[in-house]
């Protein structure tokens, strides 16, 4: 009978080991299911965060592009205003040249009146009229170049501000005549 006792104890120990193994397998299965659920939730949150970040970046890029387009439109508008002003200045310059030509044409009348004073005044009048005409022409060219340079500088600054996202609080280029 002794051997049956050992067999019974062995069966009892075997059943205990099997039951312990089954309980551990059930716990590990439950833990594995929880880990899988947590991992699935993590992947979902990462995918959602990536989608949100992508959407935010897309909206930011669209806003920056709209800002750059607005800067371009403002620069084109300012260029049209500056070109109109330059055309007006050219017309004024042409008017001054016409007046100078008329004065030079009337020079013969002035010569007869100023004949008593000598020929040096006559030469001086020609020189001053020519210098004034040239100075007016150069002034117009310099003004147009300066206007173009300022407009390009402000457009560049506005583009940078639009891209950098830093608006300087209403600083705009306005041309004063």
């Amino acid at each position: 009978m002794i051997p049956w006792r050992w067999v019974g104890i062995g069966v009892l120990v075997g059943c205990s080991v099997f039951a312990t193994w089954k309980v551990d397998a059930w716990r590990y299965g439950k833990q594995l299911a929880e880990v899988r659920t947590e991992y699935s939730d993590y992947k979902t949150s990462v995918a959602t965060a990536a989608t949100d970040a992508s959407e935010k970046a897309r909206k930011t890029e669209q806003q920056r592009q709209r800002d750059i387009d607005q800067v371009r439109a403002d620069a084109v508008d300012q260029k049209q205003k500056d070109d109109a002003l330059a055309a007006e200045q050219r017309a004024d310059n042409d008017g001054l040249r016409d007046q100078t030509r008329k004065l030079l044409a009337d020079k013969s009348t002035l010569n007869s009146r100023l004949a008593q004073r000598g020929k040096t005044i006559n030469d001086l009048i020609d020189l001053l009229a020519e210098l004034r005409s040239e100075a007016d022409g150069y002034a117009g060219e310099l003004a147009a170049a300066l206007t173009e340079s300022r407009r390009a500088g402000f457009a560049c600054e506005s583009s940078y501000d639009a891209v950098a996202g830093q608006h300087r609080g209403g600083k705009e280029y306005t041309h004063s005549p």
Side-chain angles (χ1 to χ4, degrees), residues 15 26 28 46-47 51 70 73 80 114 146 149 153 155 163 166-167 170:
C15 285
W26 175 74
Y28 289 136
V46 167
T51 301
Q70 183 62 42
Q80 290 173 348
L114 299 174
L146 177 64
S149 175
V163 170
Q166 299 172 352
H167 297 286

Side-chain angles (χ1 to χ4, degrees), residues 16-62:
S16 296
V17 168
F18 179 75
T20 303
W21 177 73
K22 254 330 209 183
V23 168
D24 283 344
W26 175 74
R27 277 192 224 159
Y28 289 136
K30 185 177 177 182
Q31 287 176 348
L32 183 61
E34 288 174 2
V35 167
R36 285 183 178 161
T37 302
E38 288 174 8
Y39 179 68
S40 176
D41 291 345
Y42 171 74
K43 283 187 352 182
T44 302
S45 68
V46 167
T48 302
T51 301
D52 291 346
S54 175
E55 183 66 21
K56 183 179 177 184
R58 185 184 65 78
K59 286 181 179 179
T60 300
E61 181 60 28
Q62 286 177 343

